Amino acid sequence: AQKITQTQPGMFVQEKEAVTLDCTYDTSDQSYGLFWYKQPSSGEMIFLIYQGSYDEQNATEGRYSLNFQKARKSANLVISASQLGDSAMYFCAMRENPGSARQLTFGSGTQLTVLP
Amino acid sequence: GAGVSQSPSNKVTEKGKDVELRCDPISGHTALYWYRQSLGQGLEFLIYFQGNSAPDKSGLPSDRFSAERTGGSVSTLTIQRTQQEDSAVYLCASSPGTVNYGYTFGSGTRLTVV
């Protein structure tokens, strides 16, 4: 079964607008971590933001915020004031039992295109 | 080093040949991971090393794939008798091994089997 589901293969957003990229996850663990990565066309994977399952507040990093809804098992990424450089593939990922260095499980990604 | 270094950046090989891909993690990072990314796809976990513990090989797709990590640092991923379906970008990542830390990825090795 899919542990991380990203239902939007592609998204378009106008420059300077906000965009939400969806991510739902499946785990029976009580303790887990959620991550978002950006992969530009150059191929490198860039870590954006982290949310722990016990964190009471939604994570924020600059223009990135994570809309964490634990009961719905969703961890959507919100990018505010989109820039042309935000055009990239975005991956949601999860680490179960984060009290270890276990591997991340990645979703299939969302290709975001920012329009001028 | 300052980042995760992978070599070669590109490799073209003939079907049936063996290939070795190298990863040099960030100094002091105890955890090292290998992933595979086929064209336009997500990341498929292959194997991970944590300190001196036995590696988690649960993601290796067949016995043609193996990996080792020498001295807790550099890792080599070996693919024997390569097949065309092995063509992909192979990404290495390292982590301090602490709870909440994401990975630092290398720039990957693009493997093409012809």
Side-chain angles (χ1 to χ4, degrees), chain B residues 7-89:
Chain B
S7 60
S9 55
N10 279 285
K11 176 74 176 178
V12 180
T13 190
E14 292 181 353
K15 179 181 172 182
K17 300 277 190 183
D18 297 352
V19 294
E20 287 189 350
L21 312 180
R22 176 188 167 103
C23 174
D24 197 346
I26 292 174
S27 178
H29 279 194
T30 59
L32 186 148
Y33 310 81
W34 284 97
Y35 282 80
R36 177 168 72 174
Q37 186 176 27
S38 300
L39 187 62
Q41 303 297 310
L43 278 73
E44 175 189 5
F45 166 72
L46 297 177
I47 186 170
Y48 105 87
F49 300 86
Q50 169 59 40
N52 295 322
S53 302
D56 179 345
K57 304 179 183 180
S58 60
L60 294 178
S62 78
D63 59 8
R64 296 187 295 105
F65 288 72
S66 63
E68 63 177 19
R69 188 179 186 191
T70 53
S73 181
V74 172
S75 176
T76 302
L77 177 69
T78 301
I79 309 173
Q80 296 178 311
R81 304 180 304 281
T82 51
Q83 304 294 313
Q84 287 186 327
E85 60 263 28
D86 299 335
S87 296
V89 175

Side-chain angles (χ1 to χ4, degrees), chain A residues 35 37 39 42-47 50 52 55 89 91 95 98-109, chain B residues 30-31 33 35 37 40-43 45 48 50 56 58 91 95 97-107:
Chain A
F35 302 78
Y37 281 82
Q39 187 178 42
S42 55
E44 76 264 38
M45 292 285 287
I46 302 167
F47 167 67
Y50 167 83
D55 292 344
M89 183 74 93
F91 291 98
R95 170 182 284 147
S100 69
R102 287 182 63 180
Q103 68 270 21
L104 300 183
T105 300
F106 287 82
S108 56
Chain B
T30 59
Y33 310 81
Y35 282 80
Q37 186 176 27
Q41 303 297 310
L43 278 73
F45 166 72
Y48 105 87
Q50 169 59 40
D56 179 345
S58 60
L91 289 163
S95 164
T98 53
V99 172
N100 302 336
Y101 217 83
Y103 300 163
T104 302
F105 279 89
S107 54

